[in-house]
Amino acid sequence: MASDQTGRTTVGQGDITQQTTDAIVNAANESLLGGGGVDGAIHRAAGPLLLEECRTIGGCPTGQARITKGYNLSASYVIHTVGPIWRGGNRNEEALLASCYQNCLTLAEENGIQSIAFPAISTGVYGFPIEQATDIAVQEVTEFLKKAVTVHQAMFVCFSREDQFIYEKTINSYGKSR
Ligand code: APR
């Protein structure tokens, strides 16, 4: 398991639905009514009550986040965020992805969450280049944890070894460059 110098940000490979952190983050779409990828996996693992609660929320704009219970998941909460669809990089995608991480962590703080697991938001169906997305993820989470009050552990859960390698490389070089 790789981690940054503080040990508060770690990387692992696996299935985010199996994580035992207080909260796991879902890479959702604006309807919040489920989908494929990690969204589908989380809804399957959490059970139908998750969708029932999501229906009461009424959607979520790109870049923002909403919180629900975790139901059948080990995690007590699911924080749903909607990453940007990659359209070439000139449609504010980087800022929107950064705001996903910021808004998830802000919601976590507001709900007394101490540990949180993130998937690689927007890098699957939404096509965000993994290296650029990882730079944003590592920067936003590392900087937020420096000033966070309740959140003291963040884990990047990579589905593939390739992604894990990119995260580990990014975390290691991020620490050295500051
Ligand atoms: N655990 C961890 N990571 C996972 C899992 C899982 N069980 N399943 C998929 N992933 C990874 C993918 O490999 C990718 O690296 O999550 C990352 C995000 O990919 P997507 O799930 O495709 O999410 P995203 O690119 O943000 O696209 C969101 O896809 O599933 C739909 O409803 C969702 O419309 C939304 C869109």
Side-chain angles (χ1 to χ4, degrees):
M1 176 91 71
S3 74
D4 71 342
Q5 286 158 332
T6 65
R8 299 175 72 180
T9 307
T10 57
V11 189
Q13 187 206 352
D15 179 347
I16 201 165
T17 67
Q18 304 303 309
Q19 300 308 313
T20 56
T21 46
D22 295 341
I24 64 170
V25 172
N26 180 23
N29 59 60
E30 290 191 339
S31 74
L32 289 192
L33 299 179
V38 72
D39 196 3
I42 287 173
H43 275 275
R44 278 193 299 279
L49 291 179
L50 177 61
L51 180 58
E52 211 170 287
E53 183 175 358
C54 285
R55 287 194 203 289
T56 67
I57 296 171
C60 178
T62 298
Q64 294 189 28
R66 300 290 186 269
I67 191 166
T68 66
K69 298 185 194 71
Y71 299 102
N72 299 337
L73 290 163
S74 304
S76 303
Y77 298 96
V78 179
I79 294 178
H80 307 260
T81 193
V82 181
I85 297 170
W86 180 257
R87 292 189 170 89
N90 301 314
R91 308 282 288 270
N92 206 27
E93 294 97 324
E94 296 203 333
L96 284 166
L97 185 60
S99 62
C100 285
Y101 288 98
Q102 292 158 10
N103 287 322
C104 288
L105 288 162
T106 300
L107 262 183
E109 284 277 288
E110 290 168 356
N111 289 273
I113 287 162
Q114 298 185 356
S115 59
I116 185 168
F118 287 97
I121 302 164
S122 278
T123 66
V125 167
Y126 281 2
F128 208 113
I130 181 72
E131 288 84 359
Q132 283 172 263
T134 304
D135 288 343
I136 292 166
V138 168
Q139 165 149 347
E140 293 304 326
V141 173
T142 306
E143 293 309 314
F144 192 99
L145 287 191
K146 284 178 183 169
K147 59 180 178 27
V149 175
T150 59
V151 181
H152 63 254
Q153 187 68 44
M155 182 181 178
F156 294 113
V157 179
C158 303
F159 211 38
S160 71
R161 280 227 23 90
E162 295 76 21
D163 288 358
Q164 181 184 9
F165 176 71
I166 292 168
Y167 268 90
E168 287 171 348
K169 185 164 57 73
T170 306
I171 282 184
N172 292 334
S173 59
Y174 187 81
K176 293 190 185 79
S177 65
R178 269 149 187 76

